[in-house]
Amino acid sequence: MPSLTNENIYTVSRLNAEVRLLLENEMGIVWLVGEISNFSAPVSGHWYLSLKDSRAQVKCAMFKGNNRFVAFKPKNGQQVLVKARLSLYEPRGDYQVIIESMQPEGDGRLQQEFEKLKMQLAAEGLFAQSNKRPLPENPQCVGVITSKTGAALFDILDVLKRRDPSLPVIIYPTLVQGEQAAIQIAQAIGRANARQECDVLIVGRGGGSLEDLWCFNHEIVARTIAASQIPIISAVGHEIDVTIADFVADVRAPTPSAAAELVSRDNSNKRQAFASYQHKLQSAMRYYTSQQAHHLRALVHALEKQHPTYRLQRQSQQLDDTEMRLQRAIQRYISTQREHIGQQYHQLQLHSPVQTLAKQQHRLAKSEQRLLDVMEKKLLRTAHRLTLAAEKLDAVSPLATLKRGYSITRDSSGKVIHRAHDLKTGDQLITRVADGEVFSTVN
């Protein structure tokens, strides 16, 4: 077993830091397509999300210095194409993607394919100025490759009719939009070269979206233009629209009408030559600017790896992560306290004097009712006994005897007379009968 030293024993922090450097330095820039989920935008201005497909997902961060250039508001479920670099969030050891640019999947894929083909053809020399063919000073016939019903054709014909009505024009009709358009454009260029009917070709159409103009970004069109023996003017869209055909063509015109002006003899040969050189210079400058911009982006990316912004971004992400964990902890604490207060309130309600008093009042009311019931029963029993006693008393009452015809005689002092010899002449007597008293004198 090899001996261990302090140099080959890693701490977790050192391991994560070195893995982060490996990911950032070895992988470089990657293009990634996926569906947005778990999107959040805290007050710091950074974006945090996950990109997923049917089998996997990866955590992503897009810092506000980059996300302010995104032209749409991301939402969960949206398919996007991102340009990003790999990294590692050291505090948690999470592998993540740092997004530098974001586009909806459709537009982003087209732009990525555009850049890829442009770099490939440029490396092969198809854009080189040495390969450009000069326009004829006095064209004898002009070929137009475009849609036979499009506005571009009518604009070209209007300009040629106004400036040089005697100049012959041959139209090679073709589709300028859709899946089959690129093949038809290449075939029309090949047909014009085979026939050798004209000495300059205008290839183009009116303006539109990147998807509308995509047939002019196909490799087959670019290589056919480069192989053409007839000088070609690219006149695709408006001045702000740029296609691969513009880079390969001998001259790029900002609009179809401008292309018609270039081949018409309204101006002197000197002005035509000047315009041709001017457009060649513009094409060369655009190509040079594009190359320098690519080189600059590479330098900027190399510089960014050493820039303190990355460290600030990681610290800012850590701050956001801590803030979100703190918010979740506060919410859990508040929820726990609310539940505890609810339990205490329930216990307080169970022991509340109001409820106790109500129970005692209920018990008192029941006691009062029982007392009244007992008193009423007792009064009834007493009244019944009184009735029975009255009946018994009435049975032995002297009044009842008087009612049967008997009487009671008393002297003036109220003494009951029991015997006749107790009386003497002149005594006053009171005799009580059933319906009154009789007063008499003893003779």
Side-chain angles (χ1 to χ4, degrees), residues 110 113-114 117 121 145-147 174-187 189 203-206 208-225 234 236-237 242-246:
L110 292 180
E113 291 179 18
F114 176 88
L117 180 59
L121 298 181
I145 299 176
T146 188
S147 170
T174 178
L175 292 176
V176 291
Q177 184 174 336
E179 294 182 1
Q180 299 299 319
I183 296 177
Q184 290 195 15
I185 293 170
Q187 290 174 345
I189 296 173
V203 179
R205 56 155 287 166
S209 66
L210 179 61
E211 186 175 3
D212 294 337
L213 305 179
W214 191 247
C215 58
F216 294 95
N217 291 319
H218 270 266
E219 183 175 359
I220 186 173
V221 173
R223 294 193 181 279
T224 304
I225 292 175
S234 175
V236 181
V242 179
T243 64
I244 298 295
D246 295 334

Side-chain angles (χ1 to χ4, degrees), residues 109-395:
R109 284 186 180 275
L110 292 180
Q111 187 65 40
Q112 186 181 10
E113 291 179 18
F114 176 88
E115 295 293 338
K116 180 180 178 181
L117 180 59
K118 187 176 75 170
M119 296 300 297
Q120 175 188 339
L121 298 181
E124 294 180 18
L126 266 67
F127 302 164
Q129 192 63 35
S130 58
N131 295 331
K132 305 295 182 182
R133 293 170 293 274
L135 298 182
E137 294 185 359
N138 296 296
Q140 301 303 309
C141 182
V142 176
V144 180
I145 299 176
T146 188
S147 170
K148 62 181 179 181
T149 60
L153 176 60
F154 295 103
D155 290 342
I156 292 171
L157 295 178
D158 284 344
V159 172
L160 294 178
K161 182 179 179 180
R162 172 173 49 84
R163 292 170 59 86
D164 194 354
S166 63
L167 181 62
V169 178
I170 297 177
I171 300 171
Y172 301 91
T174 178
L175 292 176
V176 291
Q177 184 174 336
E179 294 182 1
Q180 299 299 319
I183 296 177
Q184 290 195 15
I185 293 170
Q187 290 174 345
I189 296 173
R191 190 161 54 250
N193 276 269
R195 294 179 181 178
Q196 290 294 314
E197 300 168 318
C198 50
D199 47 8
V200 65
L201 287 174
I202 298 175
V203 179
R205 56 155 287 166
S209 66
L210 179 61
E211 186 175 3
D212 294 337
L213 305 179
W214 191 247
C215 58
F216 294 95
N217 291 319
H218 270 266
E219 183 175 359
I220 186 173
V221 173
R223 294 193 181 279
T224 304
I225 292 175
S228 173
Q229 299 302 311
I230 302 173
I232 293 179
I233 301 174
S234 175
V236 181
H238 304 298
E239 189 168 2
I240 59 173
D241 298 321
V242 179
T243 64
I244 298 295
D246 295 334
F247 293 112
V248 182
D250 301 293
V251 175
R252 187 250 181 183
T255 62
S257 297
E261 291 180 357
L262 283 174
V263 300
S264 59
R265 288 189 288 260
D266 188 54
N267 296 323
S268 65
N269 292 339
K270 188 175 181 179
R271 289 190 61 185
Q272 289 183 6
F274 176 77
S276 176
Y277 291 140
Q278 182 183 28
H279 285 287
K280 289 180 180 179
L281 178 61
Q282 289 175 345
S283 297
M285 287 299 296
R286 277 193 296 272
Y287 173 70
Y288 177 77
T289 303
S290 174
Q291 291 294 97
Q292 292 302 309
H294 176 73
H295 182 60
L296 179 60
R297 284 194 297 270
L299 292 176
V300 168
H301 178 67
L303 179 61
E304 283 178 347
K305 289 183 178 180
Q306 311 300 325
H307 201 279
T309 300
Y310 279 179
R311 183 178 179 185
L312 292 175
Q313 288 176 348
R314 290 194 297 272
Q315 292 176 346
S316 180
Q317 182 179 0
Q318 186 175 2
L319 178 62
D320 285 339
D321 181 62
T322 303
E323 181 183 1
M324 287 188 285
R325 285 191 288 108
L326 177 61
Q327 289 177 350
R328 289 194 294 268
I330 291 174
Q331 290 174 352
R332 287 196 299 269
Y333 176 78
I334 292 175
S335 177
T336 303
Q337 291 302 310
R338 283 178 177 170
E339 183 178 354
H340 179 67
I341 291 173
Q343 293 174 350
Q344 294 295 323
Y345 179 76
H346 179 67
Q347 292 295 325
L348 182 62
Q349 290 293 101
L350 293 177
H351 298 86
S352 172
V354 175
Q355 293 190 357
T356 304
L357 181 60
K359 291 180 181 178
Q360 294 298 329
Q361 287 177 339
H362 180 66
R363 291 169 55 189
L364 177 61
K366 291 177 66 176
S367 299
E368 287 179 351
Q369 186 62 43
R370 286 198 300 270
L371 179 60
L372 290 173
D373 293 343
V374 170
M375 289 178 64
E376 184 177 0
K377 291 179 181 179
K378 190 172 183 63
L379 286 174
L380 288 174
R381 288 195 299 269
T382 303
H384 180 65
R385 288 198 302 269
L386 179 60
T387 300
L388 292 176
E391 290 176 352
K392 291 180 180 179
L393 182 63
D394 186 62

